[in-house]
């Protein structure tokens, strides 16, 4: 049996596959990971299918064991501290957890919000409408991962093999840097005047502590619209920078509603959504407008990074005992 | 009208085809016509479409379907003369307008200057089209509400609206699928469930479908509620009357 026992899980820890897609037109929130890059990387480190369900660990971390014997798993926890017994592990790692060992993932000084833990073949759970993504607000999906839970891998046949090394992944940083998020203006950029566009680009903004999987509220310069903040509802994409009546923008994230009635001055590009998702409250950043072509090129570069991570793997060695 | 339909970007992976900026049943018909045309001949890389009263959001994979190709394809569909969305199925939903399910009927009657019976007759006598789902899973937003039933939302939203509530505000009508807070006026209830998570399809009614309400008394309604709770599908397809 390949099982993972949760000794301690903070709030906002859930199972997530790539999302419950195909039901936006029926008002269903897709959910899925906050940081799609780390989610995909966790699955790739275990050679899982891309849509395998992964534990998305909230900001306070997770402690777990493998009570039934050695368990192969992958952790992608940028900015977190990851320890297995006395071993300090890098934030992106494929490892074997022996019976009796504890894996401890906790907030680190570098700061990250969401960590991902993958099991061989994915975490087993009954799909709801074709997906193992959890949306707590509507009650769709497997639900939260809580202290005391025991989780099963889909593919017990790929349990830990003798002599399989622990491997850490060190990825080189990508431009433009963590203090700048790129966005494509629209779909309602024309409802904002030059002052609001300038304020958005000057910043600085920071994620407010009043944020969750649905939306990241931002603190920073307000963005008044020219003729009010009510529009007839239209669709909402993940990353939409939406501005309600008080002018304080918020960015719609994985648990967003499919439609809404506030104007959206821009949309954070997909390549930079993981950076935004991992920003701790209070860390300053600014927005940079880019073209669709630049956004697509950045997405391609990020996909290439996912596809070609292998050369960046390093075998980890630890002192015995 | 000038400048419509127009294309607005919601990032590099979603495109909004905007037919207008107001609520107008004629715009909704154009939205649904394009939506149905795209559903009829799926385009590789087009992932999901989300109709609203005035626009169609298209989620796409820009690494498979470049924006220019998507816009070219839509331009072609629109230039073929937008097909009228007549393919929607027609459904009949049992509904009860008994005072116990119509908390706001008095307020609606006073505000519109109509007798309560007249409010019910107007609401129950209309044929609606599902323009969009929004707010929460299975909340169906309808076009076709008689204009005499136009009134603003409640000053204070209700904490909870029961599943199946028939609600109106701002000239729009909704069938509420599940309990949620809302500032709309409750004037009746249907026993039919528009969202059945355990069943296939989970959503029996699609955007573009048309629907009518079949009024029943409180006694018959109680029996229908029990059948709905047991998982029975209570909406009835009206045969041979597709479209307008």
């Amino acid at each position: 049996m390949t099982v993972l026992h949760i000794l301690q899980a903070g709030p906002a820890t859930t199972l997530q596959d790539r999302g419950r897609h195909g039901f936006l037109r029926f008002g269903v929130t897709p959910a899925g990971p906050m940081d799609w890059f780390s989610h995909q990387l966790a699955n790739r480190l275990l050679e899982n299918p891309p849509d395998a369900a992964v534990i998305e660990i909230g900001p306070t971390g997770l402690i777990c064991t493998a009570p039934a014997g050695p368990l192969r798993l992958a952790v992608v926890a940028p900015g977190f501290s990851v320890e297995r017994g006395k071993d300090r592990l890098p934030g992106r790692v494929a490892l074997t957890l022996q019976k009796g060992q504890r894996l401890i993932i906790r907030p680190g000084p570098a700061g990250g919000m969401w960590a991902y833990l993958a099991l061989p073949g994915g975490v087993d759970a009954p799909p709801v409408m074709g997906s193992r993504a959890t949306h707590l607000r509507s009650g769709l999906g497997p639900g939260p991962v809580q202290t005391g839970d025991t989780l099963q891998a889909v593919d017990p046949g790929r349990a830990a093999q003798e002599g399989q090394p622990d491997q850490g992944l060190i990825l080189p940083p990508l431009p433009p840097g963590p203090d700048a998020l790129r966005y494509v203006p629209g779909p309602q950029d024309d409802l904002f005047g030059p002052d609001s566009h300038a304020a958005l680009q000057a910043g600085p903004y920071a994620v407010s502590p009043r944020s969750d999987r649905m939306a990241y509220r931002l603190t920073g310069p307000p963005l008044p619209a020219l003729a009010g903040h009510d529009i007839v509802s239209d669709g909402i994409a993940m990353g939409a920078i939406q501005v309600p009546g008080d002018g304080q923008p918020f960015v719609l994230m994985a648990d967003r509603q499919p439609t809404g009635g506030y104007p959206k001055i821009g949309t954070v590009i997909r390549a930079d959504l993981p950076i935004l998702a991992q920003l701790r409250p209070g860390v300053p950043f600014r927005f940079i407008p880019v073209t669709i072509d630049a956004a697509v090129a950045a997405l391609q570069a990020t996909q290439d990074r996912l596809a070609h991570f292998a050369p960046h793997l390093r075998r980890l060695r630890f002192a015995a005992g | 009208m000038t400048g419509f339909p127009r294309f607005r970007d919601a990032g590099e992976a979603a495109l909004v085809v905007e037919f207008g900026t107001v609520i107008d049943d004629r715009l909704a018909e154009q939205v649904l016509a394009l939506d149905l045309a795209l559903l009829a001949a799926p385009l590789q890389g087009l992932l999901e479409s989300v109709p609203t009263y005035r626009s169609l959001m298209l989620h796409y994979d820009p690494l498979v379907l470049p924006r220019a190709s998507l816009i070219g394809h839509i331009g072609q569909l629109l230039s073929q003369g937008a097909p009228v969305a007549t393919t929607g199925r027609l459904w009949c939903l049992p509904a009860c307008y008994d005072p116990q399910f119509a908390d706001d009927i008095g307020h609606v009657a006073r505000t519109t200057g109509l007798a309560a019976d007249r409010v019910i007759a107007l609401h129950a006598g209309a044929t609606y089209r599902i323009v969009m789902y929004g707010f929460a899973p299975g909340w169906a937003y309808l076009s076709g509400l008689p204009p005499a039933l136009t009134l603003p939302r409640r000053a204070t939203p209700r904490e909870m609206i029961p599943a199946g509530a028939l609600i109106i505000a701002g000239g729009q009508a909704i069938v509420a699928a599940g309990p949620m807070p809302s500032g709309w006026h409750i004037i009746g209830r249907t026993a039919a469930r528009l969202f059945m998570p355990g069943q296939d399809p989970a959503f029996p009614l699609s955007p573009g479908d048309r629907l009518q309400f079949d009024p029943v008394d409180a006694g018959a309604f109680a029996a229908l509620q029990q059948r709905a709770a047991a998982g029975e599908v209570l909406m009835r397809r009206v045969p041979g009357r597709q479209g307008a």
Side-chain angles (χ1 to χ4, degrees), chain A residues 22 24-26 190 232 270, chain B residues 8 12 35 48-49 54 138:
Chain A
L24 283 175
R25 60 194 286 103
F26 296 105
D190 57 331
V232 176
R270 293 189 65 78
Chain B
R8 317 303 295 267
E12 77 280 24
D35 186 37
E48 295 194 52
S49 59
R54 63 186 187 85

Side-chain angles (χ1 to χ4, degrees), chain B residues 67-87:
Chain B
R67 177 181 184 271
S69 308
L70 176 59
I71 287 180
H73 182 76
I74 294 164
Q76 219 167 16
L77 287 176
L78 292 173
S79 71
Q80 286 165 3
V84 183
T86 52
T87 51

Side-chain angles (χ1 to χ4, degrees), chain A residues 4-314:
Chain A
L4 186 75
H5 183 62
I6 309 297
L7 291 174
Q8 195 180 308
T13 296
T14 55
L15 277 191
Q16 298 294 343
D17 62 13
R18 280 192 300 189
R20 186 167 289 102
H21 294 292
F23 299 97
L24 283 175
R25 60 194 286 103
F26 296 105
V28 178
T29 290
M34 291 292 281
D35 170 355
W36 66 269
F37 180 82
S38 296
H39 179 275
Q40 287 299 292
L41 192 56
N43 272 331
R44 280 179 184 261
L45 284 170
L46 286 192
E47 296 174 24
N48 283 349
D51 205 24
V54 171
I55 304 171
E56 181 179 89
I57 300 165
T60 58
L62 185 97
I63 303 175
C64 58
T65 60
L71 176 62
R72 189 73 180 166
L73 48 83
V75 174
V76 179
F80 286 74
S81 125
V82 184
E83 293 162 40
R84 179 188 54 196
K86 290 180 201 154
D87 305 332
R88 297 182 69 87
L89 303 170
R92 299 180 174 107
V93 62
L95 69 139
T96 302
L97 192 61
Q98 301 292 342
K99 186 173 179 173
Q101 283 183 320
R102 283 186 175 202
L103 183 70
I104 302 174
I105 300 163
R106 58 179 149 213
M113 291 291 284
W114 308 98
Y116 295 86
L117 192 160
L119 298 183
V123 180
D124 200 14
V128 175
M129 291 156 70
S131 166
R132 295 176 175 88
T134 301
H135 182 229
L136 293 177
R137 202 173 294 248
S138 66
L140 293 179
V145 174
Q146 293 170 313
T147 300
D149 284 357
T150 295
L151 301 172
Q152 178 80 44
V154 165
D155 190 357
R158 287 205 290 120
Q161 288 151 25
E162 201 65 24
Q164 207 172 6
D166 298 329
Q167 290 186 300
L169 181 65
I170 310 298
L171 286 175
L174 278 182
D179 64 333
L181 293 176
R182 291 168 290 184
Y183 75 99
V184 172
Q188 280 90 35
D189 51 317
D190 57 331
L191 300 186
F192 296 84
D195 289 353
S196 287
H197 287 284
L200 178 68
Q201 291 163 31
Y205 288 96
V207 176
S208 153
R210 290 173 56 214
S211 295
D212 57 20
R213 277 184 43 92
M214 183 174 181
Y216 276 13
R217 291 170 186 275
L218 304 184
T219 56
L223 304 173
L226 293 172
H229 291 256
D230 281 324
I231 61 166
V232 176
S233 287
D234 71 348
I236 298 178
M238 187 167 174
I241 308 166
Q242 186 164 273
V243 189
D246 65 3
Q248 278 316 132
F250 53 98
V251 184
L252 278 304
M253 302 299 283
D255 282 359
R256 71 197 181 278
Q257 293 176 349
T259 57
Y262 292 123
K264 296 162 282 292
I265 191 170
T267 310
V268 177
I269 70 172
R270 293 189 65 78
D272 287 356
L273 278 175
I275 298 165
L276 171 62
Q278 296 291 1
L279 280 175
R280 286 261 181 90
V283 177
F285 66 90
R286 64 204 163 87
F287 288 100
I288 304 174
V290 295
T291 63
I292 295 278
D293 285 348
V296 174
L299 177 61
Q300 184 66 65
T302 306
Q303 294 283 14
D304 290 346
R305 194 169 156 87
L306 265 178
H308 306 295
F309 68 88
H312 304 290
L313 278 176
R314 302 281 182 273

